[in-house]
Amino acid sequence: MNRDQFILELEKIGAIKFGNFTLKSGIISPFYFDLRDMISFPGMLEGVAELIKDKIKDMDFDVITGIPYTALPIATLVAVKLNKPFVYRRKEEKAYGTGKNIVGKFQQGDKCLVIDDLITTGSSKIETAEAYEQEGMKIEDFVVIIDRSDNGAAEMKHRGYNLHSLIDLEEILLLLKKNKLISAVKAKEVKDFTNSLKNYKENKRELVENPLTRKLLNRIRQKRSNLILSLDVTTQSEFFEILDKVGNEIVMVKTHVDMLDDYDDNFAPRLLDYAARQNFLIFEDRKFADIGNTVRHQYRNGIYHIADWAEYVTVHLVAGEFILPGLFEGLEGRGGFVLARMSSKGNLLNETYTRKCFEAARKNPQWVAGFIGHGSSVEDIKRFKAKFPGKELLLMPGVKKEKGSDAMGQQYITIEDAVKGGADCIIVGRGILQAPDPVTEARLYRERGWKAYNERISSSTI
Ligand code: S5P
């Protein structure tokens, strides 16, 4: 069965429908594909398995999976034809017994090829990839029978995966038109619909450029530094003594104001004065995490009045996205860095949580200037950053000259690995503060961070 024959068979069994269909997203689509019934037509199942087999013959993978339910029997057949192991993931999480959510045998580090029937937005593919990655498998390639999306492959690429499709919408429309199975008017209506969806998404993406992202980026370029000093000391005298000497080297100072034993009302005006003279930005690492109303007061009131003096704060999205308007609504020139990953050993921010942070930021781009993140290697960080929803910056703590850890769970990667992976700024505390000469050390971090940053920028677009 060739591709054209397969498409015509799909039309014959009613798998390709035209009309008005409400999609999961609520959008009304003039067409709909439903490949579920294909399993009752052995010739088609055999035909599509052969087409997929041909498509993937040069790809490198150890195991095959299908996304439940429609793709399961198809992927099983392909696995048998290629003599490759097959695994699948339960649709419902298992809370008893072995607790295993992936069924079948595989090795840690195995490359898994994922087969699915369709792609619309790609979200179920990403979810699948994350679940398998959490179990120690590697996912790089997805194969779908029909790409019905407007830009599915680009979306998947943006998130770090390759999408291969047997057939796309254009091909179906052309063939059906040729065979007089669809009118030219209907074909145009379908095309107009996908184009309008694409334009809508592109317009939305334009909005993602947050003024606070731009502000930090401009300051990085202006100051030729991507070093953020985490000034974690407990007295104002130490704080300002170090800042005085190091302020010119840094793009931003990160404070933990509640660490100071002797905080008083002089702190903020003094800090603002230094910031103006030495041209750095201010970031209070308060890590807000509560409900909207509570964080609003914690941020704007209390003894610290953080909103009055810090341009940026850190935000945990554990209580949901409404923390963002709670913090920033009605304020000018204030924004957050969302903690999408943490550097500490055993932290509970898993891949799904990270993805949800990106989704929340996509919906609230005006308040998210960047993400805090970390990674185990350059590749790991690259994949993480590829999933950012827009042009947010990546700020990375847990950075030192050498890889290592401390006694309380902090993990460090090197300056070069952090920046090569995609960090736009490195956040350094003890690496500088505990050096015999913090000023010389800050210069060294600045130089190495800036060199790695320029090398990355000139060699790629990340
Ligand atoms: O995941 C994180 C997020 C942050 S903001 N891991 C971190 O270490 N931080 C902060 O970065 C942490 O609170 C501390 O202020 C700084 C790292 O300090 P260092 O002394 O380990 O460099």
Side-chain angles (χ1 to χ4, degrees):
M1 191 180 280
N2 65 28
R3 289 221 309 253
D4 283 4
Q5 288 165 333
F6 177 65
I7 296 171
L8 293 173
E9 284 294 312
L10 282 177
E11 199 278 336
K12 218 195 267 170
I13 68 163
I16 302 178
K17 296 184 171 78
F18 296 97
N20 286 323
F21 306 92
T22 308
L23 303 180
K24 235 196 274 175
S25 56
I27 296 174
I28 303 204
S29 165
F31 65 98
Y32 192 72
F33 297 127
D34 182 353
L35 306 193
R36 275 175 296 192
D37 288 348
M38 228 172 64
I39 46 166
S40 311
F41 300 86
M44 289 187 75
L45 213 49
E46 167 73 20
V48 78
E50 279 297 327
L51 290 172
I52 295 176
K53 188 181 137 196
D54 196 46
K55 183 98 194 166
I56 65 179
K57 63 178 189 295
D58 298 323
M59 289 181 203
D60 171 33
F61 55 89
D62 306 297
V63 286
I64 291 187
T65 190
I67 301 183
Y69 292 104
T70 310
L72 274 183
I74 302 163
T76 316
L77 195 54
V78 175
V80 172
K81 280 179 182 285
L82 287 170
N83 195 23
K84 287 277 187 186
F86 181 74
V87 295
Y88 74 90
R89 176 177 167 244
R90 286 172 205 282
K91 224 170 143 73
E92 301 78 21
E93 287 218 350
K94 198 173 177 219
Y96 55 89
T98 58
K100 269 175 55 182
N101 285 318
I102 294 183
V103 181
K105 298 270 183 232
F106 61 90
Q107 309 283 326
Q108 291 293 303
D110 270 358
K111 248 190 218 165
C112 181
L113 176 85
V114 187
I115 296 178
D116 205 359
D117 53 343
L118 300 166
I119 177 159
T120 310
T121 62
S123 64
S124 67
K125 315 274 174 297
I126 307 283
E127 223 167 86
T128 302
E130 284 165 357
Y132 280 93
E133 281 161 3
Q134 252 167 49
E135 301 286 337
M137 270 190 258
K138 285 196 205 134
I139 309 265
E140 287 173 8
D141 296 292
F142 288 85
V143 180
V144 294
I145 300 174
I146 301 179
D147 181 355
R148 61 155 286 163
S149 68
D150 45 287
N151 61 347
E155 284 276 315
M156 294 293 287
K157 192 87 216 155
H158 182 64
R159 288 150 186 261
Y161 303 105
N162 304 317
L163 178 80
H164 314 269
S165 55
L166 283 188
I167 311 161
D168 64 22
L169 185 60
E170 184 88 28
E171 201 179 344
I172 296 177
L173 293 176
L174 276 176
L175 188 73
L176 295 187
K177 228 165 57 178
K178 203 172 111 196
N179 286 274
K180 307 222 170 339
L181 292 163
I182 174 181
S183 68
V185 174
K186 192 76 205 174
K188 186 169 178 307
E189 190 192 327
V190 172
K191 279 196 78 175
D192 288 348
F193 168 78
T194 48
N195 284 341
S196 68
L197 218 56
K198 197 169 171 176
N199 290 340
Y200 169 74
K201 281 192 198 156
E202 273 164 14
N203 288 343
K204 247 180 114 177
R205 202 162 291 140
E206 286 284 292
L207 293 177
V208 173
E209 246 222 316
N210 175 308
L212 280 142
T213 308
R214 180 125 306 272
K215 184 170 184 178
L216 177 54
L217 196 57
N218 286 343
R219 196 66 62 98
I220 291 171
R221 289 175 184 156
Q222 199 186 68
K223 238 183 141 178
R224 304 175 62 76
S225 170
N226 61 346
L227 174 62
I228 299 175
L229 175 65
S230 184
L231 231 181
D232 301 337
V233 292
T234 53
T235 61
Q236 287 201 53
S237 58
E238 275 176 284
F239 187 97
F240 288 110
E241 195 190 324
I242 296 170
L243 193 60
D244 188 59
K245 295 189 216 134
V246 174
N248 286 325
E249 309 298 330
I250 60 177
V251 66
M252 181 148 76
V253 69
K254 184 174 84 60
T255 58
H256 279 293
V257 71
D258 51 2
M259 251 187 208
L260 292 169
D261 289 330
D262 55 355
Y263 174 85
D264 61 22
D265 286 348
N266 296 321
F267 177 78
R270 234 180 132 187
L271 176 58
L272 287 166
D273 184 49
Y274 270 104
R277 279 192 285 121
Q278 297 182 320
N279 197 26
F280 58 75
L281 300 166
I282 303 174
F283 161 21
E284 162 58 28
D285 188 8
R286 171 63 181 72
K287 297 192 179 69
F288 293 99
D290 215 314
I291 61 164
N293 182 60
T294 304
V295 294
R296 179 165 291 201
H297 292 309
Q298 289 174 321
Y299 180 37
R300 303 177 188 194
N301 306 109
I303 51 173
Y304 301 121
H305 289 271
I306 294 165
D308 291 350
W309 50 270
E311 276 123 341
Y312 305 89
V313 292
T314 21
V315 188
H316 277 301
L317 290 184
V318 67
E321 66 183 270
F322 286 97
I323 190 171
L324 292 168
L327 284 166
F328 303 117
E329 200 171 48
L331 296 181
E332 278 286 310
R334 298 289 179 258
F337 299 121
V338 167
L339 290 129
R341 276 188 179 186
M342 289 196 72
S343 62
S344 47
K345 203 170 174 181
N347 73 76
L348 305 180
L349 279 56
N350 63 20
E351 295 269 351
T352 307
Y353 180 88
T354 301
R355 176 169 51 82
K356 299 222 159 160
C357 288
F358 295 152
E359 277 169 18
R362 193 188 284 271
K363 285 202 255 163
N364 300 275
Q366 69 274 39
W367 292 314
V368 180
F371 295 100
I372 303 287
H374 202 252
S376 53
S377 64
V378 171
E379 283 312 307
D380 180 42
I381 302 165
K382 275 189 185 167
R383 290 175 76 88
F384 164 69
K385 196 175 184 196
K387 297 177 189 174
F388 280 22
K391 295 178 179 158
E392 301 84 1
L393 299 177
L394 170 58
L395 277 55
M396 192 163 296
V399 172
K400 268 197 174 175
K401 288 190 293 191
E402 316 273 314
K403 203 174 154 77
S405 54
D406 75 2
M408 286 188 271
Q410 175 70 307
Q411 305 178 110
Y412 293 104
I413 58 167
T414 64
I415 307 166
E416 284 74 19
D417 281 359
V419 178
K420 251 191 232 162
D424 298 292
C425 289
I426 48 170
I427 299 177
V428 184
R430 286 166 289 174
I432 291 173
L433 302 176
Q434 291 181 347
D437 177 5
V439 185
T440 314
E441 205 65 4
R443 280 195 193 122
L444 186 146
Y445 273 89
R446 174 194 189 164
E447 270 160 32
R448 280 176 55 176
W450 187 243
K451 182 163 176 273
Y453 181 71
N454 279 304
E455 280 169 6
R456 188 186 87 216
I457 300 291
S458 57
S459 70
S460 78
T461 52
I462 325 170

